[in-house]
Amino acid sequence: DVKVTQSSRYLVKRTGEKVFLECVQDMDHENMFWYRQDPGLGLRLIYFSYDVKMKEKGDIPEGYSVSREKKERFSLILESASTNQTSMYLCASSGAGTSILSGANVLTFGAGSRLTVL
Amino acid sequence: AQKITQTQPGMFVQEKEAVTLDCTYDTSDPSYGLFWYKQPSSGEMIFLIYQGSYDQQNATEGRYSLNFQKARKSANLVISASQLGDSAMYFCAMGQIQGAQKLVFGQGTRLTINP
């Protein structure tokens, strides 16, 4: 019954390494999102995508990039990891074409990827 | 810009009591949606309840209800008859009508239910 899968639950990387966080959804959703969760700050949007090969910056895109080559897969890339990118990363998806007023397009989240950069 | 504020970092409640988690929001959009999510220790975010800005009645889902006061810009979550399994982080979120329905989240409230 898994709907949004994040490939790694826990990762430990070194400063300067390139890091890939993968997210796959099996609900044929158009929209996909990457959030970062930090204590006391809640969830903050890094990037989102509303279609294959389309991407838009969220509130904190600096130091990150994304890739969406296929509808079901949305990857978050840290080109050169830094210690201040140690965090929990949450991927989510939602369908399109229905007004948010109906509440039909709630976000479905993955279990999260906890990244530690040493 | 939209903003969500949750002023209670942590709450402790006795089992079977009702609990209210506070959420205030700020937006200039006339149309918006308000959401509550639960995050257990497992980490996965679970959708609980939704309220549209034009909804006349407060939303309810089982033991969850959303106390929506538009003039005060508040959207408090009420959990009736709390259970030990309700212990978790709770996030209030808001979405705009335009765009890809991205959500803005509050800081979260950690709820602990004591037996």
Side-chain angles (χ1 to χ4, degrees):
Chain A
D1 191 37
V2 176
K3 298 178 179 178
V4 178
T5 303
Q6 294 183 231
S7 56
S8 303
R9 285 301 305 270
Y10 300 95
L11 302 94
V12 179
K13 298 293 181 180
R14 297 275 180 196
T15 300
E17 279 192 74
K18 190 170 186 175
V19 181
F20 292 87
L21 299 180
E22 305 285 345
C23 176
V24 177
Q25 51 94 4
D26 63 2
M27 296 169 287
D28 201 35
H29 280 168
E30 287 77 9
N31 304 318
M32 296 189 74
F33 308 82
W34 275 106
Y35 283 89
R36 169 177 172 162
Q37 181 181 357
D38 299 289
L41 298 177
L43 280 71
R44 293 177 291 168
L45 183 63
I46 305 171
Y47 267 97
F48 66 99
S49 168
Y50 51 89
D51 201 352
V52 176
K53 298 191 185 294
M54 305 300 289
K55 61 184 179 183
E56 285 197 25
K57 294 180 180 179
D59 299 317
I60 52 164
E62 296 79 18
Y64 304 94
S65 62
V66 290
S67 173
R68 189 152 182 216
E69 296 296 318
K70 294 184 177 181
K71 189 177 184 180
E72 66 272 17
R73 187 179 297 270
F74 192 36
S75 302
L76 180 69
I77 303 156
L78 287 67
E79 293 289 342
S80 178
S82 63
T83 55
N84 62 14
Q85 291 178 310
T86 291
S87 186
M88 170 71 91
Y89 292 87
L90 293 168
C91 175
S93 70
S94 70
T98 303
S99 169
I100 198 173
L101 290 174
S102 73
N105 279 329
V106 299
L107 296 186
T108 300
F109 283 85
S113 298
R114 185 168 294 281
L115 171 67
T116 301
V117 182
L118 302 175
Chain B
Q2 298 181 327
K3 185 178 180 182
I4 293 282
T5 302
Q6 294 178 255
T7 57
Q8 305 156 310
M11 286 192 70
F12 295 84
V13 174
Q14 286 298 119
E15 191 179 8
K16 299 182 183 177
E17 289 183 354
V19 57
T20 298
L21 304 181
D22 295 340
C23 172
T24 58
Y25 62 91
D26 190 23
T27 182
S28 56
D29 295 325
S31 301
Y32 49 88
L34 294 156
F35 301 76
W36 276 92
Y37 282 82
K38 173 183 179 180
Q39 187 183 43
S41 55
S42 60
E44 191 163 344
M45 299 280 282
I46 301 167
F47 166 71
L48 294 179
I49 195 166
Y50 164 83
Q51 178 87 40
S53 59
Y54 291 135
D55 294 342
Q56 295 297 317
Q57 293 187 326
N58 288 341
T60 59
E61 289 287 347
R63 293 186 300 112
Y64 304 108
S65 61
L66 200 153
N67 184 1
F68 181 47
Q69 298 189 42
K70 198 170 183 178
R72 292 186 172 185
K73 293 190 174 180
S74 73
N76 298 340
L77 177 71
V78 180
I79 306 174
S80 63
S82 58
Q83 303 171 356
L84 296 178
D86 293 333
S87 293
M89 282 289 290
Y90 288 81
F91 290 97
C92 181
M94 159 182 271
Q96 59 190 25
I97 303 306
Q98 302 299 323
Q101 297 146 356
K102 55 183 180 176
L103 297 187
V104 174
F105 285 81
Q107 305 92 321
T109 296
R110 182 169 297 281
L111 176 64
T112 302
I113 307 298
N114 295 316

